[in-house]
Amino acid sequence: EVQLVESGGGLVQPGGSLRLSCAASGVTFSSYAMTWVRQAPGKGLEWVSSVSGDGAYTDYADSVKGRFTISRDNSKNTLYLQMDSLRVDDTALYHCAKGSGIHYSRIDYWGQGVLVTVSS
Amino acid sequence: DIQMTQSPSSLSASVGDRVIITCRASQGVSHYVAWFQQKPGKVPKLLIYAASTLQSGVPSRFSGSGSGTDFTLTISSLQPEDFATYYCQKYDRAPLTFGGGTKVEIK
């Protein structure tokens, strides 16, 4: 059974940093692209960033480009999201999600999410 | 970037109704569209991928169609457990944009 468990969320002041992690199990991690999706309170789903299975390709939403960095450690079956220069509008539940192929593809599994609150 | 525009943003329907939700891409995305269902406090659930392929375990009352720029999600006979918010997403290439969502409420 595929399991994705996020961690690293919390309360941070504007301008601060956080690093989210997503531990994957039950899957050959390096064979699949991974994605971060966020959902602000009461709002819709927003794609944040994706990384290919081998880590060679990364992409970002314009809203986070230059501030967030996605990475993965396939030896640890773990996905990361380094979030710098955080803003109040980055407040959201952040989900990691597994793609169905090594390159960007449909999402077939979601983690439960981790809450990031940016507030002074 | 390609935008995904869903309509309507919300609708009220009764059990047994046929419900159609549309998603329009601002440029062609071939058949690389997925549909998700999200209930309050829950993670999204994949219903349809490749525009019309039913995900394993999803009831056959759900169906998808379309290609290029225009896509639809149809629920043939709405059931009580189908009241939720539905999202389309393109996944041909980055950005993997979601539509704004359609909330299906009880009439």
Side-chain angles (χ1 to χ4, degrees):
Chain A
E1 180 191 1
V2 176
Q3 287 198 318
L4 303 171
V5 180
E6 303 93 338
S7 60
L11 174 64
V12 62
Q13 291 188 336
S17 298
L18 277 178
R19 187 174 87 152
L20 305 184
S21 300
C22 171
S25 60
V27 62
T28 305
F29 186 66
S30 61
S31 294
Y32 300 99
M34 297 294 293
T35 289
W36 289 99
V37 175
R38 69 184 181 183
Q39 189 166 31
K43 302 296 184 183
L45 302 172
E46 180 186 13
W47 172 78
V48 174
S49 181
S50 294
V51 58
S52 58
D54 59 3
Y57 297 92
T58 59
D59 280 280
Y60 300 90
D62 286 345
S63 58
V64 307
K65 201 172 295 182
R67 301 187 299 120
F68 290 12
T69 304
I70 192 171
S71 62
R72 62 191 298 159
D73 185 336
N74 287 345
S75 69
K76 295 182 178 178
N77 286 5
T78 302
L79 174 72
Y80 302 101
L81 186 67
Q82 177 66 42
M83 304 187 296
D84 299 320
S85 303
L86 281 161
R87 309 189 300 219
V88 171
D89 61 0
D90 293 319
T91 295
L93 186 65
Y94 284 73
H95 297 276
C96 78
K98 172 189 164 295
S100 61
I102 195 165
H103 281 292
Y104 303 159
S105 48
R106 70 183 182 274
I107 290 171
D108 55 9
Y109 288 93
W110 296 71
Q112 291 296 314
V114 62
L115 185 61
V116 172
T117 303
V118 185
S119 175
S120 54
Chain B
D1 291 345
I2 298 174
Q3 307 303 313
M4 301 295 283
T5 304
Q6 268 184 254
S7 60
S9 57
S10 65
L11 65 90
S12 295
S14 301
V15 172
D17 283 353
R18 180 183 183 91
V19 169
I20 298 174
I21 298 168
T22 66
C23 184
R24 174 164 287 177
S26 57
Q27 298 175 46
V29 297
S30 185
H31 61 282
Y32 296 103
V33 167
W35 290 93
F36 296 91
Q37 176 194 66
Q38 187 179 33
K39 297 180 180 179
K42 302 295 186 182
V43 300
K45 173 186 175 183
L46 177 65
L47 300 175
I48 301 282
Y49 62 93
S52 61
T53 302
L54 196 67
Q55 172 71 350
S56 176
V58 174
S60 59
R61 63 181 179 272
F62 291 93
S63 64
S65 65
S67 182
T69 60
D70 293 302
F71 302 89
T72 61
L73 173 70
T74 300
I75 309 172
S76 60
S77 178
L78 198 66
Q79 297 302 299
E81 61 267 31
D82 300 337
F83 292 94
T85 301
Y86 295 83
Y87 296 92
C88 62
Q89 186 197 22
K90 63 176 280 294
Y91 58 93
D92 57 328
R93 62 177 62 87
L96 309 185
T97 311
F98 287 92
T102 296
K103 186 173 184 179
V104 177
E105 299 177 301
I106 301 172
K107 182 182 282 184

